[in-house]
């Protein structure tokens, strides 16, 4: 069999939800009349229509068929070039099949939907709604999630705050809502909030939700406590106002008899000084002061004997020797730097390594930790000056992880200038830290870092610059099987 084919054009472009047509021309170069059947093959076959499905050609004649491509506007229509082919089977010679191939480029489109599950949550101190983000487009989507509300009544802990979603897939973002003020008494209050799904160059997709904050104690209990307190105060006042007079009948009888059972009152000249109470230490005697003879006898030691004084002095000295020097923390070091350079910005830090304890304090880009030692960090202590304060939170190993990443478990700690901020735990069985998030100036300052990751190397320098949407920088890795061993920080 002899057959000549041509696709016009060989490459075409189509939008999902639209259609385009390609013409297939063929010529019977043989010497017999033949009929040809056409069938679309490949991944685009379900969306390809061939018209007509068969064509009869005489020797030396040319015919054509039209291939119409109509991919749907769904994630199945993969963006980019997609090869296609048409199988041509001659009736006279079925074994002599011809398969011309072409290329169809499907243009990308994005469609993102988000939903809060559930949309209304309740709690006294916190609540944990989930945000489901669906990618209904045919290309990968990268987005960040942030929270806001009117009046800044809630704080938001969002994990992960950045997601990458493949076409036709969904990502779930865990959100922890915490009220900034606790309702101790009274009825519940509704606090509307918004989670924004932000993509580059696109208007944010806002999802509305409601947090119903309950009171810590019901109103009836507050009334009961108030009434009980009022009754207690009333009883105390009545007791004070009506104080019973108690007199001893035995004393009155002795007075009537003119006899007293009490010992005689000593004269002022012979009265010995009163011994100090066991709870209050006696003041030391002034130099050259002579103790009365009776005092020495009552104390059980001869006058002029200094053994008791020496023993007390030795005990006080031994206690002073056993007193340890105060621990040098990040706040101690950064306050010393601030005293030398009051107008500068400084950050000091130290790390707690499993099995080794706290490292020495490092400042302004120095290394804290053990590079390549294999021991994980479980806690980090930071303090800054000239930055309006420091915030940090630990990202730790998650034994129940299903996606290969760790977890934020404890809330962030926020401190002002010159105070210690701690992230992680120093407990013996504390989970190792994959990394930690840190910010200065309430997220509006500039902080840079590098970190040494186990079985890896030093990461490149990364910075949280003013104006970034995340308002913090992350030090370390998200891999649940790794951990950080050393860090450097600068502001």
């Amino acid at each position: 069999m002899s057959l000549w084919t041509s696709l016009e054009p060989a490459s075409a472009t189509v939008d999902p939800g639209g259609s385009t047509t390609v013409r297939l021309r063929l010529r019977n170069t043989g010497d017999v009349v033949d009929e040809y059947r056409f069938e679309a093959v490949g991944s685009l076959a379900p969306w390809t229509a061939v018209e007509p499905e068969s064509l009869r050609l005489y020797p030396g004649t040319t015919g054509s068929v039209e291939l119409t491509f109509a991919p749907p506007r769904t994630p199945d229509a993969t963006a980019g070039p997609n090869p296609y082919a048409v199988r041509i089977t001659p009736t006279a010679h079925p074994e002599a099949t011809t398969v011309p191939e072409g290329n169809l480029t499907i243009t990308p489109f994005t469609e993102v939907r988000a939903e809060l599950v559930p949309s209304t949550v309740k709690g006294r101190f916190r609540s944990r709604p989930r945000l489901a983000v669906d990618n209904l487009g045919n290309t990968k989507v990268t987005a960040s999630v942030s929270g806001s509300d009117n009046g800044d009544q809630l704080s938001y802990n969002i994990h992960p705050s950045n997601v990458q979603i493949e076409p036709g897939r969904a990502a779930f973002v865990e959100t922890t809502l915490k009220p900034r003020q606790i309702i101790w008494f009274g009825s519940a209050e509704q606090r509307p909030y918004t989670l924004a799904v932000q993509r580059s160059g696109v208007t944010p997709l806002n999802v509305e939700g409601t947090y119903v904050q309950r009171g810590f104690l019901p109103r009836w209990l507050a009334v009961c406590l108030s009434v009980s307190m009022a009754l207690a105060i009333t009883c105390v006042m009545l007791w004070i106002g009506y104080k019973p007079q108690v007199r001893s009948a035995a004393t009155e009888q002795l007075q009537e008899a003119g006899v007293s059972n009490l010992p005689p009152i000593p004269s002022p000249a012979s009265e010995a000084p009163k011994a100090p109470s066991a709870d209050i230490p006696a003041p030391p005697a002034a130099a050259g002061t002579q103790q009365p003879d009776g005092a020495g006898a009552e104390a059980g030691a001869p006058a002029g004997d200094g053994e008791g004084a020496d023993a007390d002095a030795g005990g006080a000295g031994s206690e002073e020797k056993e007193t340890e020097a105060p621990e040098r923390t990040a706040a101690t070091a950064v306050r010393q730097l601030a005293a030398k350079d009051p107008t500068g910005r400084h950050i000091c830090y130290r790390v707690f390594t499993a099995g080794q304890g706290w490292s020495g304090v490092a400042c302004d880009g120095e290394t804290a930790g053990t590079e390549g030692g294999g021991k994980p960090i479980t806690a980090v202590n930071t303090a800054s000056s000239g930055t309006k304060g420091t915030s940090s939170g630990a990202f730790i190993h998650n034994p129940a992880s299903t996606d290969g990443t760790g977890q934020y478990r404890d809330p962030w700690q926020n401190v002002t200038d010159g105070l210690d901020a701690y992230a992680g735990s120093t407990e013996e069985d504390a989970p190792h830290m994959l990394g930690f998030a840190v910010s200065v100036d309430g997220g509006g300052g500039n902080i840079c870092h590098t970190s040494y990751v186990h079985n890896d190397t030093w990461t490149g320098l990364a910075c949280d610059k003013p104006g970034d949407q995340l308002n913090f920088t992350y030090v370390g890795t998200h891999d649940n099987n790794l951990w950080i061993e050393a860090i450097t920080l600068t502001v």
Side-chain angles (χ1 to χ4, degrees):
M1 182 203 75
S2 298
L3 181 66
W4 171 85
T5 62
S6 174
L7 288 170
E8 299 176 356
S11 297
T13 301
V14 65
D15 296 328
S19 63
T20 189
T21 301
V22 174
R23 176 173 296 178
L24 172 63
R25 299 183 60 196
L26 63 161
R27 179 186 298 116
N28 183 359
T29 58
D31 53 2
V32 297
V33 178
D34 208 342
E35 183 179 5
Y36 304 94
R37 296 190 302 274
F38 307 94
E39 180 185 4
V41 295
S43 60
L44 300 183
W47 311 325
T48 306
V50 184
E51 182 66 30
E53 296 181 354
S54 62
L55 188 64
R56 184 180 181 87
L57 295 178
Y58 288 92
T61 60
T62 300
S64 64
V65 297
E66 289 186 348
L67 309 177
T68 302
F69 301 96
R73 190 176 175 83
T74 64
D76 296 331
T78 306
N82 294 267
Y84 68 89
V86 180
R87 182 187 295 120
I88 305 175
T89 305
T91 304
H93 303 281
E95 72 282 355
T97 302
T98 300
V99 185
E101 297 180 352
N103 185 69
L104 179 68
T105 299
I106 300 177
T107 59
F109 77 96
T110 57
E111 184 176 350
V112 177
R113 294 180 185 176
E115 180 183 6
L116 271 171
V117 183
S119 60
T120 300
V121 292
K122 301 178 181 180
R124 292 180 174 86
F125 303 106
R126 63 175 57 86
S127 190
R128 295 182 173 89
R130 302 180 72 194
L131 179 67
V133 184
D134 298 301
N135 182 6
L136 304 181
N138 64 349
T139 184
K140 181 187 294 186
V141 169
T142 300
S144 61
V145 182
S146 61
S148 63
D149 60 272
N150 293 330
D152 195 24
Q153 298 174 335
L154 302 174
S155 65
Y156 305 85
N157 186 5
I158 300 174
H159 177 72
S161 57
N162 293 279
V163 292
Q164 286 189 344
I165 314 172
E166 297 292 336
R169 304 296 295 274
F172 291 91
V173 178
E174 304 290 341
T175 304
T176 301
L177 307 177
K178 293 183 180 180
R180 299 189 183 276
Q181 293 183 352
I182 298 175
I183 301 176
W184 294 105
F185 302 101
S187 58
E189 296 183 8
Q190 293 189 357
R191 307 198 184 281
Y193 67 94
T194 302
L195 295 182
V197 181
Q198 176 68 59
R199 292 179 291 141
S200 178
V202 180
T203 303
L205 176 61
N206 294 328
V207 184
E208 307 292 337
T210 303
Y211 173 63
V212 180
Q213 184 180 356
R214 296 171 173 171
F216 182 72
L217 296 175
R219 186 182 297 274
W220 63 266
L221 183 58
V223 174
C224 292
L225 290 177
S226 301
V227 173
S228 299
M229 184 174 294
L231 291 175
I233 294 174
T234 303
C235 292
V236 171
M237 297 302 296
L238 290 175
W239 173 258
I240 294 174
Y242 178 72
K243 185 175 182 182
Q245 300 293 328
V246 180
R247 300 180 64 185
S248 173
T251 303
E252 294 175 354
Q253 292 177 359
L254 289 175
Q255 291 177 352
E256 292 176 358
V259 180
S260 174
N261 289 333
L262 298 176
I265 300 176
S267 63
S270 61
E271 183 178 1
K274 186 178 180 180
S277 171
D279 296 332
I280 304 176
T289 302
Q290 183 177 1
Q291 297 290 338
D293 296 340
E298 291 177 2
D305 191 353
E307 291 182 0
D310 293 343
D312 292 342
S318 62
E319 290 181 0
E320 292 179 359
K321 292 179 181 179
E322 292 177 358
T323 302
E324 297 182 357
E327 181 181 10
R328 178 177 169 82
T329 67
T332 306
V334 84
R335 285 197 291 265
Q336 293 175 351
L337 288 177
K340 297 178 181 179
D341 182 16
T343 61
R345 291 166 58 90
H346 302 281
I347 186 168
C348 293
Y349 43 92
R350 57 177 182 158
V351 298
F352 189 91
T353 304
Q356 297 179 4
W358 284 110
S359 68
V361 178
C363 298
D364 296 338
E366 298 174 342
T367 299
T370 305
E371 176 182 349
K375 297 289 187 179
I377 292 174
T378 64
V380 175
N381 168 213
T382 58
S384 63
S385 65
T387 66
K388 300 180 183 178
T390 309
S391 301
S392 62
F395 192 69
I396 62 175
H397 173 74
N398 181 10
S401 175
T402 59
D403 57 1
T405 62
Q407 63 178 344
Y408 286 104
R409 187 177 64 185
D410 298 326
W412 277 45
Q413 185 179 22
N414 305 308
V415 299
T416 57
D417 263 8
L419 297 184
D420 284 309
Y422 291 90
S425 174
T426 59
E427 298 289 339
E428 183 177 356
D429 57 349
H432 55 257
M433 291 175 57
L434 313 184
F436 64 98
V438 62
S439 66
V440 295
D441 288 326
N446 187 4
I447 181 170
C448 298
H449 66 86
T450 61
S451 59
Y452 186 87
V453 180
H454 176 64
N455 287 339
D456 200 348
T457 183
W458 282 97
T459 60
L461 181 66
C463 299
D464 175 27
K465 297 181 179 179
D468 286 350
Q469 294 179 354
L470 297 181
N471 294 332
F472 67 86
T473 186
Y474 182 77
V475 185
T477 177
H478 289 86
D479 193 329
N480 203 38
N481 297 319
L482 299 178
W483 57 78
I484 54 174
E485 298 180 6
I487 62 171
T488 69
L489 299 175
T490 56
V491 293

